[in-house]
Amino acid sequence: MHIGLIGLGKMGFSMRERLRRNGIQVTGFDRNPVVSDVGSLPDLVAELPPPRIVWIMVPSGETTAAVVSELAGLLDSGDLVIEGGNSHYTEDSRHAGMLAANGIRYLDCGVSGGIWGKDNGYGLMVGGDPADVAAAMPLFDALRPAGTRADSFVHAGATGAGHYAKMVHNGIEYGLMQAYAEGYELLESQDIVQDVPGILRAWQDGTVIRSWLLELAVRALEEDPGLARITGYVEDSGEGRWTVEEALSAGVPAPAITSAVFARFSSRQEDSPAMKLVAALRGQFGGHPVRSADPAGSEASGGHRSAAEQSIEDAGAPE
């Protein structure tokens, strides 16, 4: 199988490598010529055998809309577009309709796995027609963790369901990080506690709160004891806000997620150990920049990324 991949940032770059590693031929396009395989979108389309499959991993909003619009004029009837960024689910019906006018098929796909997905695999949540999902299954199989059950992939439902699922996923992520962060601050506040990283490490096996996020919290503290090198300023990608808006619209109580979103706002007014850990976690799993505690440096890169991977900020990254 040979596909096109548009957007080679934090997620797209790693996805291209994982797909190639698993036998998928990928031609990638990015505005950064250092990482791009071709010079333009028309060049990308010309490289692909029909019926073409093009996966989009660019920032949500106007950038995604512009790429979809251009593809609508470049692709042919029967081709398939997979939109894998963090778009709001309401945009999917508009994008699908724009492409359908020219006979082009459309899937939306929520992608989770962060900068570690290249090696560990990704969780995938897809919305769209079952026949189109079946046509793209070799891609989903190549991207998801190897040797696991089908639970790492879900056909979530109709158009928009994949991005809706990813939105809720990221809202939950907000709440989980906030709970770990508040527990960390409580531990740090007591003189009788002498090994906070050791406590978090001890929670990683056999306890009911063990998780990958907890492992990343331990990693962050090992790399920066006391989190002295960063501030507690935490950005939000928007998906936490969207989750809260959906909860309000549906009349579904979501106090933990809502509180976590507001805690992000509080982080921008004062520094706290809890919000330092949230900032550090975002750097660990998503490669998001963190604010340096050194007045001479406003930002420090989070996580572990190559120069190529840092070339562009794309919306496929986690929250």
Side-chain angles (χ1 to χ4, degrees), residues 36-245:
S36 188
D37 299 317
V38 292
S40 68
L41 283 184
D43 291 342
L44 175 74
V45 171
E47 289 279 331
L48 303 177
R52 303 172 185 86
I53 298 179
V54 180
W55 192 308
I56 303 173
M57 291 296 291
V58 301
S60 61
E62 293 182 1
T63 302
T64 294
V67 171
V68 171
S69 178
E70 187 168 356
L71 287 175
L74 293 171
L75 296 176
D76 296 323
S77 179
D79 291 345
L80 173 63
V81 170
I82 303 174
E83 208 282 88
N86 282 338
S87 293
H88 195 282
Y89 76 97
T90 57
E91 294 295 302
D92 290 311
S93 58
R94 186 165 66 88
H95 295 156
M98 184 188 308
L99 294 168
N102 293 333
I104 302 164
R105 301 171 292 160
Y106 179 87
L107 294 174
D108 58 283
C109 182
V111 182
S112 179
I115 57 176
W116 304 88
K118 180 174 67 174
D119 296 320
N120 298 340
Y122 302 90
L124 304 167
M125 299 143 271
V126 179
D129 186 271
D132 298 335
V133 174
M137 275 309 299
L139 303 179
F140 303 139
D141 286 337
L143 287 170
R144 65 182 180 170
T148 63
R149 300 175 302 161
D151 292 349
S152 57
F153 165 86
V154 62
H155 179 197
T159 300
H163 281 147
Y164 192 94
K166 182 55 163 52
M167 175 191 69
V168 175
H169 166 282
N170 280 15
I172 292 170
E173 188 180 286
Y174 273 58
L176 289 173
M177 285 196 292
Q178 191 62 31
Y180 283 130
E182 291 171 9
Y184 164 74
E185 183 164 0
L186 276 171
L187 291 170
E188 284 284 2
S189 72
Q190 291 297 325
D191 293 336
I192 59 172
V193 175
Q194 298 176 354
D195 187 0
V196 174
I199 292 170
L200 300 187
R201 197 176 299 112
W203 289 348
Q204 290 183 87
D205 293 308
T207 76
V208 297
I209 62 169
R210 63 187 182 275
S211 75
W212 185 48
L213 278 175
L214 184 59
E215 294 175 17
L216 293 178
V218 171
R219 182 189 296 268
L221 290 168
E222 288 173 345
E223 294 177 355
D224 182 11
L227 305 177
R229 298 202 301 265
I230 63 174
T231 70
Y233 187 103
V234 184
E235 296 284 1
D236 66 288
S237 65
E239 291 203 83
R241 300 189 194 198
W242 296 344
T243 307
V244 173
E245 290 169 359

Side-chain angles (χ1 to χ4, degrees), residues 231-235 262-272 275-276:
T231 70
Y233 187 103
V234 184
E235 296 284 1
F262 281 115
R264 299 282 178 99
F265 302 158
S266 297
S267 78
R268 300 161 201 178
Q269 298 172 339
E270 59 181 284
D271 212 16
S272 75
M275 298 317 296
K276 281 189 174 187

